[in-house]
Protein backbone atom coordinates (compact mmCIF):
# COMPACT_ATOMS: atom_id res chain seq x y z
CA UNK A 1 0.00 0.00 0.00
CA UNK A 2 1.15 3.52 -0.75
CA UNK A 3 1.97 5.26 2.45
CA UNK A 4 4.04 7.65 4.53
CA UNK A 5 6.54 6.01 6.85
CA UNK A 6 8.31 7.66 9.75
CA UNK A 7 11.30 6.22 11.55
CA UNK A 8 11.82 5.71 14.35
CA UNK A 9 8.46 5.69 16.13
CA UNK A 10 10.12 6.68 19.39
CA UNK A 11 13.39 8.58 19.72
CA UNK A 12 15.23 9.53 22.89
CA UNK A 13 18.03 12.05 22.62
CA UNK A 14 20.21 13.93 25.03
CA UNK A 15 19.89 17.63 25.65
CA UNK A 16 21.99 19.41 23.01
CA UNK A 17 22.79 16.29 20.98
CA UNK A 18 21.82 16.56 17.29
CA UNK A 19 19.05 14.24 16.18
CA UNK A 20 17.55 13.39 12.79
CA UNK A 21 14.05 12.13 12.14
CA UNK A 22 13.21 10.40 8.90
CA UNK A 23 10.17 10.29 6.61
CA UNK A 24 9.66 8.37 3.40
CA UNK A 25 6.70 8.15 1.03
CA UNK A 26 5.61 5.83 -1.76
CA UNK A 27 2.85 8.15 -3.00
CA UNK A 28 5.10 10.16 -5.34
CA UNK A 29 3.61 13.33 -3.87
CA UNK A 30 5.21 16.67 -4.69
CA UNK A 31 4.89 18.19 -1.23
CA UNK A 32 6.26 16.95 2.07
CA UNK A 33 5.51 18.65 5.39
CA UNK A 34 6.93 18.52 8.90
CA UNK A 35 4.69 19.28 11.84
CA UNK A 36 5.39 19.55 15.57
CA UNK A 37 2.59 18.50 17.91
CA UNK A 38 2.69 18.99 21.68
CA UNK A 39 0.33 17.61 24.32
CA UNK A 40 -2.66 16.84 22.08
CA UNK A 41 -2.60 20.35 20.63
CA UNK A 42 -3.10 21.12 16.96
CA UNK A 43 -0.13 20.20 14.76
CA UNK A 44 2.12 23.19 14.11
CA UNK A 45 3.68 23.43 10.65
CA UNK A 46 7.46 23.82 10.78
CA UNK A 47 8.25 23.79 7.05
CA UNK A 48 7.49 22.06 3.81
CA UNK A 49 9.14 21.13 0.54
CA UNK A 50 7.35 21.61 -2.77
CA UNK A 51 9.53 19.37 -4.91
CA UNK A 52 12.99 20.79 -4.17
CA UNK A 53 11.78 24.18 -3.01
CA UNK A 54 12.09 24.65 0.74
CA UNK A 55 9.48 26.77 2.54
CA UNK A 56 10.12 27.71 6.13
CA UNK A 57 7.36 28.99 8.43
CA UNK A 58 8.21 32.39 9.86
CA UNK A 59 8.20 31.25 13.48
CA UNK A 60 10.14 28.02 13.06
CA UNK A 61 13.28 28.19 15.22
CA UNK A 62 16.68 28.07 13.50
CA UNK A 63 17.38 24.95 15.53
CA UNK A 64 15.14 23.04 13.13
CA UNK A 65 16.29 22.24 9.62
CA UNK A 66 15.19 19.91 6.88
CA UNK A 67 16.60 18.05 3.91
CA UNK A 68 14.90 16.41 0.97
CA UNK A 69 17.48 14.50 -1.07
CA UNK A 70 14.89 13.04 -3.45
CA UNK A 71 11.12 12.78 -3.96
CA UNK A 72 10.71 9.91 -1.55
CA UNK A 73 12.65 11.05 1.51
CA UNK A 74 12.59 14.03 3.82
CA UNK A 75 14.55 14.52 7.04
CA UNK A 76 14.06 16.74 10.05
CA UNK A 77 17.28 17.76 11.77
CA UNK A 78 17.25 19.27 15.25
CA UNK A 79 20.69 20.74 15.79
CA UNK A 80 20.63 21.20 19.55
CA UNK A 81 17.50 19.74 21.10
CA UNK A 82 16.18 21.42 24.20
CA UNK A 83 13.67 20.10 26.69
CA UNK A 84 11.01 22.21 24.99
CA UNK A 85 11.51 20.32 21.74
CA UNK A 86 10.08 17.14 23.21
CA UNK A 87 6.99 16.49 21.10
CA UNK A 88 5.39 14.31 18.46
CA UNK A 89 6.78 15.09 15.02
CA UNK A 90 4.47 14.36 12.12
CA UNK A 91 5.39 14.06 8.46
CA UNK A 92 2.70 14.53 5.83
CA UNK A 93 2.51 14.58 2.04
CA UNK A 94 0.20 15.98 -0.60
CA UNK A 95 0.04 16.50 -4.32
CA UNK A 96 1.02 19.91 -5.58
CA UNK A 97 -1.24 22.39 -7.27
CA UNK A 98 -4.83 23.41 -6.58
CA UNK A 99 -6.16 19.94 -5.90
CA UNK A 100 -8.84 18.98 -3.43
CA UNK A 101 -6.91 16.30 -1.61
CA UNK A 102 -6.08 16.41 2.05
CA UNK A 103 -2.75 15.37 3.46
CA UNK A 104 -1.52 11.84 4.09
CA UNK A 105 0.20 11.57 7.47
CA UNK A 106 2.78 9.19 8.81
CA UNK A 107 2.40 7.62 12.23
CA UNK A 108 4.73 10.16 13.79
CA UNK A 109 7.94 10.08 15.82
CA UNK A 110 7.68 10.84 19.51
CA UNK A 111 10.84 12.63 20.60
CA UNK A 112 11.96 12.63 24.22
CA UNK A 113 14.82 14.89 25.33
CA UNK A 114 16.67 13.86 28.48
CA UNK B 1 -6.15 34.42 6.08
CA UNK B 2 -7.94 31.19 6.79
CA UNK B 3 -8.83 29.85 10.23
CA UNK B 4 -10.69 27.03 11.93
CA UNK B 5 -12.35 26.99 15.33
CA UNK B 6 -13.33 23.94 17.34
CA UNK B 7 -15.18 25.45 20.30
CA UNK B 8 -15.17 22.36 22.51
CA UNK B 9 -11.95 21.01 23.99
CA UNK B 10 -13.72 17.80 24.97
CA UNK B 11 -16.98 16.05 24.21
CA UNK B 12 -18.31 13.28 26.44
CA UNK B 13 -20.99 10.93 25.18
CA UNK B 14 -22.43 7.60 26.24
CA UNK B 15 -21.94 4.64 23.91
CA UNK B 16 -24.87 4.33 21.53
CA UNK B 17 -25.77 8.01 21.71
CA UNK B 18 -25.31 10.48 18.87
CA UNK B 19 -21.96 12.23 18.66
CA UNK B 20 -21.40 15.75 17.33
CA UNK B 21 -18.07 17.55 17.11
CA UNK B 22 -18.35 21.20 16.12
CA UNK B 23 -16.23 23.13 13.63
CA UNK B 24 -16.51 26.59 12.15
CA UNK B 25 -14.19 28.07 9.57
CA UNK B 26 -13.20 31.33 7.95
CA UNK B 27 -11.78 31.68 4.45
CA UNK B 28 -11.82 34.45 1.90
CA UNK B 29 -12.74 32.16 -0.96
CA UNK B 30 -14.34 28.74 -1.30
CA UNK B 31 -13.23 26.14 1.22
CA UNK B 32 -12.12 22.58 1.06
CA UNK B 33 -12.95 21.10 4.48
CA UNK B 34 -11.55 18.01 6.17
CA UNK B 35 -11.89 15.96 9.32
CA UNK B 36 -9.04 13.91 10.73
CA UNK B 37 -8.90 11.58 13.74
CA UNK B 38 -5.85 10.88 15.88
CA UNK B 39 -5.48 7.92 18.22
CA UNK B 40 -2.83 7.97 20.98
CA UNK B 41 0.73 8.03 19.67
CA UNK B 42 -0.42 7.85 16.08
CA UNK B 43 -0.53 10.20 13.12
CA UNK B 44 -3.67 11.85 11.80
CA UNK B 45 -6.04 9.65 9.84
CA UNK B 46 -8.34 11.09 7.17
CA UNK B 47 -12.07 10.70 7.90
CA UNK B 48 -13.86 12.72 5.24
CA UNK B 49 -13.81 15.86 3.16
CA UNK B 50 -16.14 18.38 1.58
CA UNK B 51 -15.17 19.75 -1.80
CA UNK B 52 -18.40 20.60 -3.58
CA UNK B 53 -21.85 19.18 -4.21
CA UNK B 54 -24.02 17.54 -1.57
CA UNK B 55 -23.72 19.29 1.77
CA UNK B 56 -23.86 15.99 3.65
CA UNK B 57 -20.61 14.09 3.32
CA UNK B 58 -20.18 10.50 4.43
CA UNK B 59 -16.81 9.19 5.51
CA UNK B 60 -14.99 6.37 7.27
CA UNK B 61 -16.21 4.44 10.35
CA UNK B 62 -19.80 5.67 10.02
CA UNK B 63 -18.94 9.35 10.39
CA UNK B 64 -20.58 12.10 8.39
CA UNK B 65 -20.36 15.87 8.29
CA UNK B 66 -22.66 18.61 7.13
CA UNK B 67 -21.38 21.65 5.31
CA UNK B 68 -23.38 24.80 6.10
CA UNK B 69 -22.20 27.76 4.07
CA UNK B 70 -24.40 30.36 5.74
CA UNK B 71 -23.15 29.36 9.19
CA UNK B 72 -19.62 28.60 7.95
CA UNK B 73 -19.75 25.32 9.82
CA UNK B 74 -18.71 21.75 9.12
CA UNK B 75 -19.82 19.70 12.13
CA UNK B 76 -18.82 16.06 12.39
CA UNK B 77 -21.53 13.59 13.38
CA UNK B 78 -22.05 9.95 14.11
CA UNK B 79 -25.52 8.57 14.85
CA UNK B 80 -24.37 5.98 17.40
CA UNK B 81 -21.00 6.40 19.09
CA UNK B 82 -18.70 3.52 19.99
CA UNK B 83 -16.14 3.34 22.80
CA UNK B 84 -13.53 2.88 20.06
CA UNK B 85 -14.42 6.35 18.71
CA UNK B 86 -12.66 7.88 21.71
CA UNK B 87 -9.84 9.91 20.15
CA UNK B 88 -8.72 13.42 19.21
CA UNK B 89 -10.52 14.97 16.25
CA UNK B 90 -9.22 17.78 14.07
CA UNK B 91 -11.11 19.90 11.58
CA UNK B 92 -9.06 21.51 8.79
CA UNK B 93 -9.67 23.96 5.97
CA UNK B 94 -7.89 24.76 2.75
CA UNK B 95 -8.73 27.93 0.88
CA UNK B 96 -8.89 27.05 -2.79
CA UNK B 97 -7.71 30.49 -3.83
CA UNK B 98 -5.02 30.92 -1.17
CA UNK B 99 -1.40 30.99 -2.23
CA UNK B 100 0.48 27.95 -0.99
CA UNK B 101 -2.80 26.10 -0.58
CA UNK B 102 -1.91 24.79 2.88
CA UNK B 103 -4.21 23.14 5.38
CA UNK B 104 -5.06 25.05 8.55
CA UNK B 105 -6.07 22.92 11.53
CA UNK B 106 -8.42 23.65 14.37
CA UNK B 107 -7.27 23.18 17.95
CA UNK B 108 -8.73 19.70 18.22
CA UNK B 109 -11.57 18.16 20.22
CA UNK B 110 -11.08 15.18 22.46
CA UNK B 111 -13.98 12.74 22.30
CA UNK B 112 -14.59 10.39 25.19
CA UNK B 113 -17.22 7.71 24.68
CA UNK B 114 -18.20 5.98 27.91
CA UNK B 115 -19.56 2.43 28.00
Amino acid sequence: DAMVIQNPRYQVTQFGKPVTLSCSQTLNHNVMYWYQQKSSQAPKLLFHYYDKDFNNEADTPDNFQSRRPNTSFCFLDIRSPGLGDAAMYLCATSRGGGHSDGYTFGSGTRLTVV
Amino acid sequence: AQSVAQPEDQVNVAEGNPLTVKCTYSVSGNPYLFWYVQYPNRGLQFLLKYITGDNLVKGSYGFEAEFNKSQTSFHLKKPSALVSDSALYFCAVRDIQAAGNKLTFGGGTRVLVKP
Side-chain angles (χ1 to χ4, degrees), chain B residues 73-92:
Chain B
S73 67
F74 189 56
H75 301 330
L76 181 70
K77 299 179 181 181
K78 186 170 184 179
S80 179
L82 301 172
V83 172
S84 57
D85 293 327
S86 298
L88 190 56
Y89 291 79
F90 290 99
C91 182

Side-chain angles (χ1 to χ4, degrees), chain A residues 98-100, chain B residues 30-34 50-51 92-96 101 103:
Chain A
H99 60 84
S100 61
Chain B
N30 292 317
Y32 293 145
L33 292 155
F34 305 83
Y50 171 82
I51 304 302
V93 67
R94 165 180 274 175
D95 187 335
I96 300 171
N101 216 16
L103 277 183

